[in-house]
Amino acid sequence: MDYHNKYKLAISIMTANRKAVLEEVLQKLLKPLYDRKIGLYLFDGSDKGDLAALIEDYRNQGFDNLHYSYYDPKDYKGDERYIALQRASDSRVSVDADYVWLCSDKFVPRPECLDSVIENIDKGYDIIVYNVLFRKGEVTKAYEDKVEFFRDCGAKLQMLLVPIIKKEIAGTYTKEHVKKCADEMKYLEIEMIFQSISNIEEFKGLLLCLGGDDYWGLLPISLPYIVSGHVKEKRTLEVFVEKVYNTITGLPSIYDSRKKEVMKKFSCNTWFSFVGFVKLRRLNGYDFKQSLEYLGKWKYVTNVPVLIILLISLFPPKAMDYLYKIIWSYKRFRNKPCF
């Protein structure tokens, strides 16, 4: 495979107002990346540009694989809904690498994950999906059938850290396309990746599973716990019901035979499992009124009976916190995943 960019692989992270977290990201991740000639691109939308000095300090130590861009919110004059559009586009399009690994600033890859991805890059895959949402029995698998890949890997793309995409796919994340996703309330990664894949004549994809049946050994490096913004703002049902429905149903017709199946998988094992609803309620992330608003779409995204969803929403968060800790302790003891 011919390479024409600065890096074979680069990690791209959007961040905002999380200086302490980024300090830990750099401490844990930067040297392993430098040793492997992997770029790290940070796209910062913080209220203050206080990461610049930290970045400069690392660069003065010789870490020239670290790249930083600051997007001052005070410079933005448009509609507040679109303040992150340019940053979201740049974090994909402007990364100078043959493959862009889209990551979160809460979870970053372990060194062994980096090595496994590097081993597979020269095989010319259009996309590599690192299976951080491990399910027992899944194994590394190559795909040439787009619909089969959609069936097996579509739901996994709900998480950053999962997709490693070829530059040609990353280049489709123009500002106009990102805005269109926001306007139509669509899930950006699912929309852009599967729209792109539908136009690739000789598709090659890879599901990369690591660690056998040891779930806990597969987890990425987890940085300080942060409650997701959609939970704090009670937007979880909007994000994982409405946006998922809009996104999947609007994909090209080649995926039609698998759309309902993928929609059901999307958060069926995470936020919309029994444990997921308990966790969501313990964080005060949804309530009874919201449950009623989405009655017509629950059947598309979860196997949990609607009555159970409604009942959990009626319990006080403290009661669900107690129940969740019991469930988590039991599953941890049995070495089983617990979202």
Side-chain angles (χ1 to χ4, degrees):
M1 183 175 177
D2 294 327
Y3 295 99
H4 306 288
N5 298 292
K6 185 178 181 68
Y7 303 103
K8 282 187 179 183
L9 174 67
I11 286 177
S12 177
I13 296 176
M14 284 180 64
T15 188
N17 300 318
R18 291 179 176 175
K19 182 180 178 181
V21 175
L22 261 296
E23 287 177 335
E24 193 164 351
V25 168
L26 294 173
Q27 181 182 7
K28 289 183 175 180
L29 189 61
L30 190 54
K31 189 176 187 305
L33 294 180
Y34 179 81
D35 292 342
R36 292 163 175 80
K37 297 181 173 61
I38 299 173
L40 175 59
Y41 287 75
L42 302 177
F43 297 85
D44 181 19
S46 300
D47 294 333
K48 300 177 181 178
D50 54 358
L51 280 176
L54 178 65
I55 301 300
E56 189 61 27
D57 180 55
Y58 274 102
R59 290 186 62 82
N60 288 338
Q61 295 177 46
F63 292 104
D64 58 358
N65 64 322
L66 177 59
H67 307 271
Y68 175 73
S69 299
Y70 178 57
Y71 298 73
D72 192 337
K74 294 190 293 294
D75 293 339
Y76 184 76
K77 306 301 181 185
D79 189 324
E80 286 295 314
R81 293 174 301 168
Y82 304 130
I83 193 169
L85 287 185
Q86 190 64 60
R87 188 161 54 104
S89 175
D90 289 349
S91 66
R92 281 81 168 172
V93 173
S94 68
V95 175
D96 193 4
D98 295 290
Y99 285 84
V100 181
W101 194 339
L102 304 175
C103 287
S104 162
D105 59 5
K106 293 193 297 182
F107 299 100
V108 295
R110 294 183 184 276
E112 58 268 30
C113 302
L114 297 172
D115 293 336
S116 296
V117 170
I118 290 171
E119 288 173 9
N120 284 284
I121 277 181
D122 287 331
K123 297 175 184 177
Y125 294 108
D126 297 291
I127 179 171
I128 298 171
V129 172
Y130 162 46
N131 189 20
V132 64
L133 291 177
F134 173 72
R135 291 293 170 260
K136 189 171 183 178
E138 285 190 322
V139 296
T140 295
K141 181 179 178 181
Y143 295 84
E144 294 182 357
D145 186 298
K146 302 171 189 178
V147 179
E148 186 182 6
F149 180 78
F150 174 64
R151 178 198 66 196
D152 292 350
C153 299
K156 301 182 194 318
L157 293 175
Q158 67 184 283
M159 285 186 66
L160 289 175
L161 184 68
V162 168
I164 301 103
I165 54 178
K166 215 173 187 178
K167 182 67 173 179
E168 287 77 4
I169 294 178
T172 64
Y173 285 77
T174 64
K175 184 179 177 181
E176 291 71 27
H177 282 162
V178 175
K179 182 178 184 299
K180 189 171 184 290
C181 282
D183 287 339
E184 296 177 358
M185 198 175 288
K186 290 187 174 181
Y187 209 103
L188 182 61
E189 256 56 70
I190 304 293
E191 172 73 9
M192 301 307 300
I193 287 173
F194 284 106
Q195 289 284 359
S196 297
I197 286 174
S198 69
N199 295 316
I200 296 173
E201 289 188 10
E202 297 182 5
F203 170 71
K204 289 181 65 178
L206 181 71
L207 171 61
L208 182 60
C209 299
L210 305 176
D213 289 339
D214 182 8
Y215 173 82
W216 295 99
L218 290 171
L219 289 175
I221 296 172
S222 178
L223 299 169
Y225 178 73
I226 300 169
V227 177
S228 298
H230 62 80
V231 176
K232 291 188 290 186
E233 298 165 16
K234 289 192 175 182
R235 293 186 297 106
T236 302
L237 304 195
E238 173 189 299
V239 171
F240 292 100
V241 179
E242 194 166 347
K243 287 182 72 171
V244 170
Y245 182 85
N246 292 343
T247 305
I248 300 299
T249 56
L251 287 176
S253 59
I254 66 165
Y255 303 116
D256 280 354
S257 64
R258 296 295 182 180
K259 284 180 180 179
K260 288 185 179 179
E261 181 181 351
V262 171
M263 216 181 306
K264 182 63 71 74
K265 286 181 178 179
F266 210 89
S267 288
C268 199
N269 294 314
T270 51
W271 289 114
F272 299 152
S273 63
F274 173 76
V275 176
F277 281 112
V278 170
K279 180 177 181 180
L280 195 57
R281 186 62 191 145
R282 77 184 274 261
L283 298 172
N284 200 26
Y286 87 113
D287 54 36
F288 182 76
K289 182 180 178 181
Q290 288 179 312
S291 300
L292 292 177
E293 289 175 6
Y294 289 93
L295 274 180
K297 290 181 178 175
W298 282 127
K299 62 183 179 181
Y300 295 111
V301 295
T302 183
N303 290 322
V304 178
V306 173
L307 179 60
I308 300 297
I309 298 171
L310 295 173
L311 285 173
I312 291 174
S313 71
L314 291 171
F315 277 91
K318 286 187 177 180
M320 292 298 96
D321 181 60
Y322 181 72
L323 176 59
Y324 179 80
K325 288 176 179 176
I326 293 174
I327 296 170
W328 193 93
S329 298
Y330 171 76
K331 291 206 170 190
R332 186 70 173 89
F333 175 74
R334 297 291 302 273
N335 195 37
K336 292 184 176 181
C338 184
F339 173 72

